[in-house]
Amino acid sequence: MMGGPENGQRIGVVLGRREATPLEFWVGVEGEGLLRLDDLVVVEGYHPKVGRVRYFGMVDHVAKAHEGESYDTDTFLAVEGKIPVSLAYVAHVSVTRILPEEFFPPDPGSAVYLAQGEDLELALYYEAMKNQRGSTKLPAGFLKNGEVAYLNLEFLNGVKGGHVNISGISGVAAKTSYATFLLKSLLESGVLEDAHQARVLLFNVKGEDLLFLDKPNLRLSPEAKRDYEKLGLDPGPFRSVTFLAPPKKGGEGILPHVETRLEGVKAYYWDLVQFAQKGLLPFLFADRGGMSNLGYLIVHVTEKLRRLAEGQKGPHLLVSDWPGAELPEEITFDDLGRVRLKSFAQLVQYLEYKLLGSETGEGKGDETWVARQARGTLEAFVRRLRSSVENVGHLIRGDRPGNPPDPLSGSHQVHVVDLAKLSPQAQMFVVGSLLSDLFAKKERGQYRGRVFVVLDELNKYAPRDEESPIKDVLLDIAERGRSLGVILIGAQQTASEVERRVVGNAAIRVVGRLDAAEAERPEYRYLPTSFRQRALILPQGMVILHQPEIPVPLLVRFPFPAWATKREEVLEDNSAEALRREFF
Amino acid sequence: MAWRLYSLEPLRTEALAGLGEGPPHLQDSGGSYPFHPLEEPWEAKGAPPVPWPEPLYFVDGRERAEALISDGRRLVLLGCVAAGAVAFAEGGMRLLEPRVRRVGVGLWEPLGLGELVYEPLPLEGGGEPLSPMALQEGLAKARALLEEDLAKGLEGGLLIVDGPVRLRRQGPVLGYIKTHWARYLPEDKEALIPTLRPGERTPMFRVRRGGQELASWYLRLPLPPEGVRPPESGLLRVETPLSPEAKGLADLSLSLFPALASHPVKDPRAPQNLLPVGSLERELSRRMGSRDLVGRILARYLGGG
């Protein structure tokens, strides 16, 4: 038997003073009834030619008013007990579903019930979230009534749609918290069937928030634990995480540049041969737009470097066409008469020599390198390269074999890559290099499992009005990634500043607290007015979740992180076992 | 011949019969009684504020002529009467379920028109054709009966009725008269009235009507802005059956009526049209249904089209 309104609690009637339509209607709340924003209701309609029709809907406006009183000050009289008033409690319902699909209006006066149990599932299309192999209901938080909110995994894992986009003010919107919660659900709920094969690349852009994903949270309350259990998740930290941070600048050895997490973080960097072989040079040029000559030169030099590095093992780059007379002081020949480039700065010097000729003479650059570009273009190229030495010199090195992050290899499932202490140029370089490498590997079919990439500050990497190589990679991921199994969980403060195609390709959209001006922009028009208004006052831990199948967004509460988000939250494991691991 | 619509605009006949409030003789029939003061000396009286007794009932009714119909021989007035009460208790005013009836003044048997059913209300005079004025009076009487009927069902407390006190009741009752057609005071005593300040009253005096003895007094309601209108415009005459409690009720009335006086910005009949009664009247006319809708139903069934 289908769940009927008889299961739910009667809450009021469809109003006749205002139009009732198949898509929206007003409800008058009866007696002691309680109807709130986001409550789900069901109404039954009947027409002899069609039979029984059920309207499922969500409350998106509620109001109380003194009826029939024409003056605002009449309320004072009512409070003083001088006039009787009639209190009207009304709610506006947006219909989410009609079963069967017969679009005639409900009758005013029809009873309205709270949708519970099966009715709730029907109202939110939960019963349709399945495929041949079973349910695709991915826990995404809690609805207002305390029931679990689901999103259809098939719109996240690339089957019917992919990518998530999260907007919200930084600090209060909890973009990263929600993204990590979604990851937790993806990896551990068991809904994603090949979850053990999935890999996650998480960029840490601010502070060291994500560097404690593998530590239990000291502040996790018993209620929050129950929340996780209700969602079918383990109330604990991520199990398989590796942390990578850029090396500290200067100094002898290579130490990861981290402040609060001292153990278990590895430094990442590229060696010069990797830099040349993988063609990473373009990612040092974020402002390619509008300079086609420079763009051409970048492609050309990248290719030259690639050829130069062919067959070399590194970490240093050997060059044989740098005559001794032209060498800067600190660089020397090796025994085979080749010059050994041992740092990024030296590579830049080499390129300068190749493009502009010797520093002392009036000489011209190497014809095969300059690609007939005007001297101005060559100088612009060299200027930019020189200024990047300070930013990426510690990330691209020739003194030891490179250790770039590779989320597709190793035994860990989640790879956290810290960007927070890098300059903007270096951040661009790391993000661009990693994503293009990852995408290329997936394109070649080198890894079968799905890869989830979490990247905040999309407005920086894929700005709406500028061109850059990183934006190209992100566009590639946004447009072709879902068929290749690369899913972008992107976030930004303002979706209006991000390339439309990147946001537009996200099937799942999430909105945390928004700025008032931002909420009015066209990027958020998919939200009904009441949700846009509420986006301004959303508390922490609440987001608005929009998914393609459900015509209304859901206001969702997600649990407090079960993993630490800073040093102070780490629940220290002082058991003998843990101490032994630490000391031996 | 069947009943046919004669006019949907019996308003003109209402105008014949007087104001919407009903004909004057129903409103207040004074007469030339010998003046008999119940309090001495004859001077303005105030009283310290006292809490309102609970429950406190306000009863009022409404009538609406909806159509004149005719069978070719005589006229029948179809109308609607409603009566309702507002109760003050526990610091708040609350509407009690009002009663609404549709009556056909001059009808001998019920007339059903779709969802409207007009109950017969035969008038004296048998089959004689009745004047529109008499029909209008009949409707007013139907309204008064409905009000009385409703008031009888109200237990305990203090009952306040719009108009003279007619019904007999166990508990105390106050009637208030808003328009003053009759003179109750000799000229020298009347001189006190313009000197009354808002919230003051005249001493009580005796009124005899239809074998009933009543105590009555005038009181001044506040009518902001003060001093613009003649003092008589805020005047209310209040009466109650003559009894030992009359003095207490007269003092209570000073705590009651001025507090409930309506404001001229909100109500053209301010200040005498009391606040709860104004709300009650709006509710009653709402319960009587839309005038236009009723007109359309009548035209459909009786319009002959």
Side-chain angles (χ1 to χ4, degrees):
Chain A
M1 196 207 129
M2 285 219 292
E6 53 274 10
N7 294 347
Q9 174 198 347
R10 184 182 154 122
I11 201 80
V13 295
V14 176
L15 290 184
R17 190 177 80 81
R18 313 182 196 219
E19 272 189 352
T21 77
L23 300 178
E24 54 176 349
F25 53 82
W26 289 83
V27 176
V29 181
E30 292 170 335
E32 299 293 299
L34 173 66
L35 206 51
R36 295 162 296 185
L37 287 178
D38 310 318
D39 278 341
L40 292 154
V41 296
V42 54
V43 175
E44 202 169 282
Y46 181 79
H47 192 280
K49 287 188 178 160
V50 180
R52 203 169 79 126
V53 169
R54 288 191 298 157
Y55 305 84
F56 297 90
M58 180 184 267
V59 175
D60 60 11
H61 180 84
V62 280
K64 281 184 180 182
H66 281 162
E67 267 185 320
E69 302 304 334
S70 35
Y71 295 92
D72 290 334
T73 45
D74 285 346
T75 308
F76 294 116
L77 299 176
V79 170
E80 288 161 21
K82 290 179 180 173
I83 57 170
V85 283
S86 161
L87 182 68
Y89 181 1
V90 299
H92 180 263
V93 172
S94 286
V95 172
T96 58
R97 198 173 195 186
I98 303 181
L99 283 180
E101 271 96 359
E102 295 284 356
F103 289 79
F104 71 89
D107 284 321
S110 304
V112 179
Y113 299 87
L114 283 180
Q116 285 161 346
E118 279 179 53
D119 285 341
L120 184 91
E121 303 236 321
L122 286 170
L124 296 179
Y125 294 77
Y126 285 171
E127 101 294 349
M129 293 183 183
K130 59 178 178 234
N131 57 21
Q132 301 85 331
R133 283 175 294 244
S135 166
T136 56
K137 283 155 70 184
L138 182 74
F142 295 98
L143 296 175
K144 248 334 201 352
N145 61 12
E147 306 228 18
V148 177
Y150 294 101
L151 57 80
N152 192 346
L153 177 69
E154 298 205 305
F155 285 100
L156 179 50
N157 66 3
V159 174
K160 291 181 181 165
H163 310 311
V164 180
N165 188 271
I166 309 176
S167 303
I169 304 178
S170 119
V172 280
K175 301 189 289 287
T176 317
S177 307
Y178 192 66
T180 42
F181 165 72
L182 263 189
L183 286 176
K184 175 92 178 164
S185 181
L186 275 168
L187 298 179
E188 293 183 15
S189 66
V191 182
L192 182 69
E193 53 183 22
D194 45 3
H196 62 283
Q197 275 194 39
R199 289 296 170 100
V200 176
L201 174 57
L202 257 169
F203 289 103
N204 180 62
V205 293
K206 176 174 68 65
E208 298 191 346
D209 301 5
L210 294 175
L211 296 189
F212 300 97
L213 277 186
D214 60 340
K215 304 282 183 199
N217 194 329
L218 182 70
R219 287 162 57 207
L220 189 70
S221 63
E223 295 84 57
K225 277 189 186 151
R226 275 196 292 280
D227 279 350
Y228 279 96
E229 277 151 21
K230 207 171 162 193
L231 293 165
L233 302 174
D234 163 52
F238 285 82
R239 292 186 199 121
S240 173
V241 196
T242 179
F243 300 93
L244 294 147
K248 276 187 178 140
K249 285 184 187 173
E252 278 302 295
I254 290 196
L255 292 170
H257 189 182
V258 281
E259 274 152 20
T260 55
R261 179 170 180 136
L262 302 175
E263 81 298 331
V265 183
K266 275 183 270 173
Y268 68 85
Y269 50 90
W270 286 258
D271 63 41
L272 287 174
V273 171
Q274 287 168 334
F275 175 77
Q277 281 177 345
K278 290 179 195 261
L280 303 182
L281 179 71
F283 299 110
L284 290 174
F285 296 84
D287 59 345
R288 190 193 59 189
M291 286 182 286
S292 54
N293 282 341
L294 185 59
Y296 178 74
L297 182 63
I298 293 168
V299 174
H300 181 73
V301 173
T302 308
E303 198 45 43
K304 287 293 282 183
L305 281 174
R306 204 197 300 270
R307 257 182 262 155
L308 178 67
E310 240 165 53
Q312 296 203 30
K313 290 212 173 81
H316 49 266
L317 196 60
L318 294 169
V319 295
S320 51
D321 52 352
W322 202 354
E326 316 282 358
L327 280 185
E329 278 170 18
E330 70 273 25
I331 304 181
T332 52
F333 286 100
D334 73 344
D335 37 358
L336 286 169
R338 290 185 300 185
V339 173
R340 190 181 281 217
L341 302 181
K342 287 162 90 175
S343 70
F344 182 67
Q346 289 176 359
L347 176 66
V348 172
Q349 282 175 321
Y350 172 71
L351 288 177
E352 187 174 353
Y353 167 72
K354 283 279 133 192
L355 293 172
L356 300 175
S358 83
E359 235 176 298
T360 47
E362 288 292 295
K364 282 160 75 182
D366 185 335
E367 299 269 322
T368 63
W369 283 80
V370 300
R372 294 166 206 243
Q373 293 298 319
R375 194 165 175 91
T377 309
L378 299 172
E379 281 173 347
F381 176 83
V382 169
R383 244 185 349 259
R384 281 170 168 72
L385 264 189
R386 269 202 200 148
S387 64
S388 64
V389 170
E390 171 60 25
N391 292 332
V392 299
H394 60 308
L395 286 174
I396 307 166
R397 9 192 358 139
D399 55 351
R400 56 190 72 199
N403 178 36
D406 183 1
L408 301 186
S409 67
S411 58
H412 291 103
Q413 187 164 36
V414 179
H415 291 244
V416 177
V417 175
D418 186 27
L419 301 176
K421 297 191 189 62
L422 293 175
S423 67
Q425 192 191 21
Q427 291 181 335
M428 294 287 219
F429 173 75
V430 173
V431 172
S433 307
L434 285 183
L435 292 185
S436 72
D437 188 45
L438 187 147
F439 199 66
K441 281 182 179 155
K442 286 293 288 181
E443 251 180 335
R444 293 197 296 269
Q446 287 181 2
Y447 189 82
R448 291 202 45 221
R450 288 201 172 74
V451 182
F452 296 93
V453 176
V454 180
L455 180 59
D456 199 351
E457 299 184 358
L458 271 185
N459 47 324
K460 200 153 90 187
Y461 302 105
R464 174 161 294 185
D465 307 318
E466 288 162 43
E467 294 297 316
S468 78
I470 295 133
K471 181 169 163 180
D472 292 346
V473 176
L474 284 168
L475 269 174
D476 243 5
I477 294 182
E479 289 175 344
R480 301 193 296 131
R482 81 176 176 92
S483 50
L484 293 172
V486 181
I487 306 297
L488 177 66
I489 301 180
Q492 68 281 318
Q493 285 203 44
T494 49
S496 58
E497 288 173 338
V498 178
E499 169 61 37
R500 270 191 198 90
R501 284 141 71 203
V502 172
V503 178
N505 270 299
I508 312 283
R509 309 221 183 148
V510 179
V511 168
R513 166 102 58 116
L514 285 184
D515 169 70
E518 178 69 10
E520 289 308 312
R521 294 193 207 278
E523 281 72 20
Y524 305 95
R525 284 291 146 79
Y526 64 90
L527 293 177
T529 317
S530 68
F531 279 92
R532 289 210 297 272
Q533 287 171 347
R534 261 184 311 161
L536 310 185
I537 54 168
L538 272 184
Q540 223 159 5
M542 298 275 263
V543 292
I544 296 169
L545 178 69
H546 181 82
Q547 52 182 319
E549 264 178 331
I550 310 183
V552 292
L554 303 179
L555 187 75
V556 164
R557 177 179 71 81
F558 61 95
F560 190 76
W563 44 93
T565 60
K566 46 176 156 314
R567 169 98 255 165
E568 301 82 78
E569 283 178 354
V570 174
L571 181 66
E572 296 292 352
D573 185 357
N574 289 329
S575 67
E577 165 66 17
L579 289 172
R580 207 174 55 238
R581 254 187 283 129
E582 206 159 309
F583 289 111
F584 301 105
Chain B
M1 188 185 158
W3 291 108
R4 283 288 169 255
L5 194 60
Y6 183 86
S7 161
L8 264 180
E9 299 271 331
L11 285 175
R12 224 174 288 153
T13 55
E14 261 178 41
L16 272 177
L19 296 165
E21 286 293 302
H25 68 270
L26 278 178
Q27 191 50 232
D28 194 0
S29 44
S32 51
Y33 305 111
F35 173 69
H36 177 78
L38 296 170
E39 285 178 296
E40 295 286 351
W42 190 257
E43 58 183 26
K45 288 183 166 298
V50 288
W52 298 351
E54 292 187 18
L56 187 60
Y57 297 108
F58 295 83
V59 171
D60 195 18
R62 269 195 99 116
E63 68 208 53
R64 183 172 76 193
E66 293 178 335
L68 272 175
I69 57 173
S70 169
D71 62 354
R73 276 188 316 119
R74 57 204 177 97
L75 285 175
V76 162
L77 177 66
L78 298 186
C80 186
V81 291
V86 178
F88 173 84
E90 289 158 11
M93 287 275 184
R94 147 180 92 79
L95 271 170
L96 304 184
E97 190 55 32
R99 296 188 197 179
V100 181
R101 285 178 65 199
R102 297 211 122 73
V103 291
V105 187
L107 266 187
W108 293 91
E109 43 200 38
L111 179 62
L113 306 166
E115 54 201 277
L116 304 180
V117 178
Y118 290 89
E119 296 163 31
L121 188 80
L123 288 186
E124 301 84 21
E128 292 301 302
L130 293 159
S131 71
M133 184 122 138
L135 291 171
Q136 185 74 42
E137 278 172 29
L139 190 63
K141 206 169 148 196
R143 193 245 317 159
L145 282 172
L146 196 61
E147 277 178 41
E148 254 171 69
D149 202 37
L150 182 105
K152 274 184 202 141
L154 301 174
E155 304 273 322
L158 171 62
L159 176 68
I160 297 171
V161 294
D162 186 358
V165 176
R166 275 169 222 288
L167 79 169
R168 311 207 176 250
R169 169 175 203 272
Q170 281 291 19
V173 56
L174 285 176
Y176 63 96
I177 294 89
K178 294 180 288 200
T179 36
H180 312 287
W181 299 89
R183 281 180 102 146
Y184 289 88
L185 302 179
E187 256 174 65
D188 60 321
K189 305 292 186 211
E190 240 175 22
L192 178 64
I193 289 177
T195 69
L196 288 178
R197 283 175 307 178
E200 286 183 341
R201 66 172 175 94
T202 64
M204 293 189 290
F205 51 90
R206 194 180 66 198
V207 171
R208 280 207 182 98
R209 186 174 54 230
Q212 202 182 2
E213 284 214 316
L214 301 140
S216 182
W217 60 94
Y218 286 95
L219 70 80
R220 252 306 282 293
L221 298 173
L223 180 57
E226 212 54 57
V228 175
R229 296 175 183 79
E232 294 85 342
S233 31
L235 209 60
L236 201 65
R237 188 173 71 77
V238 187
E239 62 180 36
T240 183
L242 190 55
S243 74
E245 286 88 50
K247 164 85 168 67
L249 288 172
D251 287 341
L252 170 67
S253 73
L254 296 182
S255 295
L256 205 55
F257 292 105
L260 294 175
S262 49
H263 194 283
V265 167
K266 293 185 183 180
D267 191 340
R269 290 186 292 160
Q272 288 95 337
N273 202 39
L274 301 182
L275 289 169
V277 176
S279 291
L280 178 58
E281 286 185 344
R282 278 199 294 280
E283 177 65 14
L284 289 180
S285 59
R286 200 170 71 77
R287 293 289 183 110
M288 289 158 93
S290 152
R291 178 79 185 75
D292 290 346
L293 213 60
V294 170
R296 259 180 269 160
I297 294 174
L298 293 177
R300 177 153 22 111
Y301 284 92
L302 305 175

